[in-house]
Amino acid sequence: MDLQTVVQCKLNAEDNCLCCVEGMLVSNWVRSTRVIAIVQHQGENALFVYHARQAAVQNADDLALETVIAFDSTTTFDVNSAMGIVGDDLELRFRNNDLETVFELPIGSKCNAFVSELYRALELSGTQLASSATELSWVERYLISNHSGDHSSTEMAKAEKVSCIKDSKLEAAPKRAFNRADAATDSVFGFEDNFVDLKIQEQNRSIMPSVKEEKLQKTVEQEVGALLRHSSVDLLGSRDGIIKRTMETREIEYTDLQSFRFFTGTWNVNGQSATVALQAWLAKDLEPPDVYAVGFQELDLSKEAFLFNDSPREEEWQQAVTNGLHPGAEYRLVKLVRLVGMMLIVYVQVKHYGQIMDVTSEVVGTGIMGKMGNKGGVAIRFMLHNTSVCIVNAHLAAHTEDYERRNQDFSEICSRMRFARFDPPLEIHQHDVVLWIGDLNYRLDHLQYDHVMLLLNKEKLQKLLEYDQLYKQKKKGMVFTSYTEAELTFPPTYKFDTGTDVYDTSEKCRVPAWCDRILWRGGQIKQLSYQSHPSLKISDHKPVSALFDIGVKIIDVIKFKKVYEDLMKRLDKLENEYLPQVTLDRVEIDYGEVTFVEPAIQYLIVANTGQVPVEFEFIKKLNDTGYCKQWLSITPYKDYIMPGEKRDVKLEIYVSPIMAAKLNAGEDKIEDILVLHLMGGKDLFVTISGVYVPSCFGMSLQALCQLPSPLRDVPVANIIQLESHNETDGSQHERPYDIPKEVYSMLNHLYEYGVHDGTIFQQPGLHSEILAIRNALDTAITDKLPGSVHSVAGKQNGLVTCWYNVFIKTNILLCVICCHSNRVCYIQNGRKKLPMR
């Protein structure tokens, strides 16, 4: 029985369920599953919200009416979703009589149909709405019926109480285990005055807890866990924030470890359809996993998938995975995220679904031009009980010789993958458990095909591993330094002739390699297996899996109560006796010379020399829009320090093209004053200074055309004067060039050395080579620039994006853009007119 039919069975004969969808009700920290239905009664409409008594709704008894929101003239709603990220939820904000209810709906055909029907229902209600008394009469019948007939006991009725949104707010969280006489006076934890209401007494607990105790433990654990997770801005600087952070540092005193089995799998499917059963990969073990994390690469190789991020293969492979899960348990989808051909799906056993919280996803593209989604990573993070888990599925740069680019892709994913739902945003390494899977594309160095096949035939895998790029780069500390990988005991998983177990016999004869890998970091992790699955042959890669037993922290409410009460006593005493105190290792930071797109990093050490925990934050100065200038970033910009501890604050200067333009023109300087505010204490001031070394990047084309010599040979005052005049003032002794010599030099280099390279604008250059090219352009004009043509092309593209206040001939500008776009055009005008010095 489908969901809409089940809802219809709950309605009276004269009422009709127009559409329904399963989603999440959002309130504060809590996200709870609900079934949302649009119900029509003689031209009037209302939103019915049901609580599902079990994960898989099969009949009317599985649904309990929680609230009804009647449509009237005040009813409106807004929708919001992140563009281009498959798997991100749609946020639905429903407003009625100044009350707002927030739902999250998984994006898909059902969600689209529900939103469309909601638009139509609101439009219809606006034209046919009767009087307010009539509009509520049919709704009230459901409320009265729900109170009198749906529940067999007063306790059940109280726990599942329903109300009309016109009279009371929607209850998002399950019924709390505490009696709150005045919620407004509770602390953020809600335990300070209410522990006495807990019905569990530690001395009376039996060895085998009763069903009632288990239910209470689960309810309280959900609430405590929600409050202990990543802090919000509202908590920072407050007494509750200090309590929360201190409780986090003492979590070992009130948490127990329980082992959960995680299955992780990765497969590059080479654009193939899901035509095979996946049980041999996903359900090979006798014991069903608690959590599945399944990643794919090259899910769809079509242009449509790349340009529009839309692919029918997504649904095909998701269904194949669903059908291939272990038959010994019932599973539920936690999250799906896809970026072009990279897809990650996470499932959890239904019995654990209620303890999965704070689910969110992010994507990072590192492909063409360093941004596109043909390469990169996707990630899903969540809380399981009181343990944070992050799973990353990555597809790094290809080709044997490009191991440095793979290292760079890894660094880009780590630095750019930030879960912005949290404040401050969470990074990958800030999770208790990180599982990194994917086609990492690391190959075997300095080995020919025949030699590798000889070693494979002799089963000398350990000898081959000595040439594995990932093993070598990891050992050098260049990549995955904090991650662990189990020993590789299976043959290389790439590259096979499709449909066979035979390594590549094509003309290219690709050398076999362990491209598909699974690594992890964190504590309380025991890896049980690491294997490939050669029976699946539809791709040129073989799928790989790893099985883990992971210790998950589960809150013991009785222990939590004791720790909390002890903390409250200590905190009351400390607050009366001490104030926050910190010392800084310095208050003046000089960066010296700062150059374009080259990070300059200094560290500020903040030490808590007082007797109480301290929260600090860099705050805005009067009339400023931010706490620091655009070229400066501070990590962390707010944090918490225990007495006797220190915190290293990273201060990084990075001059982007937009910032470079202002610095070249003298509109800005590498100077700033930071205000470090202590919550409940005083403010401290830190002075930032440095000297920006001008670069041709960020200068106007007019100014570059008037420079007869390299930029570094020109006094800074002259550069500022050139940038401050929009027109030539007649004082120039030489006629301006038709095209800047820096632009000509790069385009000439591309014409001479890269005109026959079809991938010239498709691969990002190496950062070290880009810096060398910048220095060459700023200090001298040579016939050949350092670095590869890809780096020169990337730098030329960067110069195009830096241009502003353009005052050169239109035909020259169009020709430059043509060169950038088509890669084969040659600037005849510039070549003839520009003298090289």
Side-chain angles (χ1 to χ4, degrees), residues 174-180 194 197-199 216 219-220 223:
K175 183 69 177 178
R176 296 184 182 272
F178 321 106
N179 297 323
R180 300 182 182 272
N194 293 297
D197 295 328
L198 285 174
K199 302 304 181 183
L216 182 58
T219 303
V220 178
E223 180 169 331

Side-chain angles (χ1 to χ4, degrees), residues 71 99 171 175 221 283 337 539 548-549 551 588 787 797:
F71 293 4
L99 298 178
E171 288 290 332
K175 183 69 177 178
E221 182 187 335
V337 61
S539 171
F548 301 93
D549 273 347
E588 296 182 356
N797 179 55

Side-chain angles (χ1 to χ4, degrees), residues 490-505:
F490 51 89
T493 56
Y494 172 86
K495 176 182 183 180
F496 291 88
D497 292 339
T498 302
T500 73
D501 290 324
V502 179
Y503 286 105
D504 189 16
T505 59

Side-chain angles (χ1 to χ4, degrees), residues 586 589-592 600-604 649-653:
R586 49 184 170 164
I589 301 178
D590 186 2
Y591 283 81
I601 299 174
Q602 298 270 9
Y603 287 90
L604 176 69
V649 179
K650 180 181 177 182
L651 305 175
E652 179 177 351
I653 295 180

Side-chain angles (χ1 to χ4, degrees), residues 68-81:
V68 179
I69 307 174
F71 293 4
D72 61 16
S73 58
T74 68
T75 304
T76 60
F77 76 95
D78 296 324
V79 294
N80 183 36
S81 66

